[in-house]
Amino acid sequence: MMEYLINNYERIATQINIGNLLEEILISILVLVVAVVSIKIIFGIVNRVFDSLKSGIDQRESRRVVTLNHVTKTVVRTGIWTVAVLIILGQFMNVSSLLAVAGVGTLAIGFGAQGIVEDVMSGFVIVFENQFCVGDYVIIDEDHYGIVEAIGMRTTNIREFDGGLFIIHNGKIDRLTNYSKGHIKATVDIGISYEEDISKVTDILNDICKELFESHEELFKTCPEVIGVTDMGPMAMNIRISCDEDAASKFKAETVLRQRIKEVFSEKGIEIPYNKSIIYTRESDQ
């Protein structure tokens, strides 16, 4: 095997024409310039095509268009540079001999490249089956959850809510839950004491929901709904509020709801139960 590779490399090296070296270098530079210009022109066309596809579609389909745009550019860039490298090498040597040597070398590293092929094929399946897109809220392997930041040919980047960037090979994604297929529920549970009037509290919560829906139209897709009492614990009753949101707005909507409910409850004198410790002290006899 080693003797075969050495003989082929020696034959390739003897094919280099030193006399026309300057001409070959100029042609190679021209090929590089054409490759760079071609990539810029094709990228401009791709951007224009995908930008036109964004008009008149919902947010999720828009994210899918962004993902397809990125993958298309990656394929175009890889294809153009591959052709450019082959043309440049063809100026100095017999490319067919080089490909023969590469074919023999591929046998030696083929087993090590299985993971790369698996990742690339899985990336194509993820994109074209629309399993998830950039901007989706997903959970992978029940341990890592966050917003999809990028989908590449080999890896997928997940921005977790603690700020960390989780990078996983596409071929390693076995179990995935996508919460951005359709709407996701934003849910807030409010605890009130048993002494409070449930009807009065429900009316106040309904007013808060209508107020926030009218003042935050960009945040709430639908008007939050008071579901009712969902739990009766040892210290408090829980009243649940729910509304349909997308993954990007879920946590912001829940935060705004909790903040406004606390402000109104303080104004209305409605108690939210919490653990209290009462310490009794006895004055010493004088």
Side-chain angles (χ1 to χ4, degrees):
M1 176 72 71
M2 290 300 298
E3 292 180 358
Y4 177 79
L5 292 175
I6 292 172
N7 293 333
N8 276 278
Y9 279 120
E10 290 177 351
R11 187 170 67 253
I12 292 171
T14 58
Q15 293 172 354
I16 298 178
N17 191 338
I18 303 299
N20 296 328
L21 184 60
L22 180 59
E23 178 183 352
E24 292 167 351
I25 292 175
L26 292 176
I27 294 176
S28 300
I29 294 174
L30 179 62
V31 170
L32 291 175
V33 172
V34 171
V36 172
V37 173
S38 299
I39 289 175
K40 290 184 178 295
I41 293 175
I42 295 177
F43 276 17
I45 296 173
V46 170
N47 287 333
R48 189 170 302 175
V49 171
F50 282 103
D51 287 343
S52 64
L53 293 176
K54 287 183 181 180
S55 58
I57 61 177
D58 57 23
Q59 185 177 6
R60 174 170 177 78
E61 288 299 322
S62 177
R63 292 199 299 265
R64 185 173 183 234
V65 169
V66 172
T67 303
L68 290 173
N69 188 356
H70 174 73
V71 173
T72 302
K73 288 180 178 179
T74 302
V75 173
V76 169
R77 185 189 298 111
T78 303
I80 290 178
W81 281 119
T82 300
V83 173
V85 169
L86 291 176
I87 293 175
I88 292 173
L89 291 177
Q91 301 297 315
F92 301 97
M93 61 190 69
N94 189 342
V95 178
S96 60
S97 300
L98 180 64
L99 293 177
V101 174
V104 175
T106 301
L107 295 177
I109 63 173
F111 290 103
Q114 287 181 355
I116 297 176
V117 175
E118 180 184 4
D119 293 337
V120 172
M121 294 303 297
S122 298
F124 275 111
V125 171
I126 288 170
V127 172
F128 289 103
E129 286 190 355
N130 195 22
Q131 296 179 7
F132 56 87
C133 300
V134 174
D136 284 359
Y137 169 46
V138 300
I139 297 179
I140 296 179
D141 294 335
E142 301 180 359
D143 294 323
H144 302 279
Y145 56 92
I147 304 297
V148 179
E149 194 167 275
I151 302 175
M153 297 297 295
R154 291 192 57 218
T155 61
T156 294
N157 298 347
I158 309 294
R159 179 67 65 180
E160 298 184 331
F161 293 110
D162 60 0
L165 182 64
F166 175 63
I167 302 174
I168 184 171
H169 290 277
N170 294 329
K172 301 297 183 183
I173 300 177
D174 295 326
R175 294 173 297 174
L176 181 138
T177 304
N178 190 344
Y179 286 98
S180 297
K181 290 280 191 179
H183 293 294
I184 185 174
K185 287 291 184 182
T187 303
V188 174
D189 289 323
I190 305 298
I192 63 171
S193 66
Y194 284 97
E195 289 76 19
E196 298 292 345
D197 186 344
I198 296 179
S199 298
K200 176 184 175 183
V201 173
T202 301
D203 291 339
I204 293 175
L205 291 175
N206 280 321
D207 292 339
I208 293 174
C209 292
K210 292 178 182 177
E211 172 194 342
L212 291 179
F213 179 66
E214 293 174 356
S215 60
H216 294 75
E217 294 181 355
E218 76 289 348
L219 180 61
F220 293 95
K221 311 304 178 187
T222 59
C223 183
E225 178 184 3
V226 180
I227 306 299
V229 178
T230 57
D231 185 42
M232 299 179 68
M235 294 183 56
M237 297 181 292
N238 283 339
I239 298 180
R240 176 166 295 176
I241 300 175
S242 179
C243 64
D244 292 332
E245 287 292 338
D246 56 36
S249 304
K250 167 182 165 62
F251 299 101
K252 178 64 175 178
E254 291 176 347
T255 301
V256 171
L257 269 170
R258 292 190 185 98
Q259 178 177 342
R260 185 55 184 158
I261 289 171
K262 177 61 175 67
E263 293 172 351
V264 174
F265 275 18
S266 297
E267 295 172 1
K268 302 290 185 180
I270 297 175
E271 181 182 0
I272 298 177
Y274 59 93
N275 291 327
K276 303 175 184 177
S277 297
I278 301 177
I279 301 176
Y280 295 95
T281 60
R282 184 170 56 186
E283 296 182 358
S284 56
D285 297 333
Q286 298 294 331

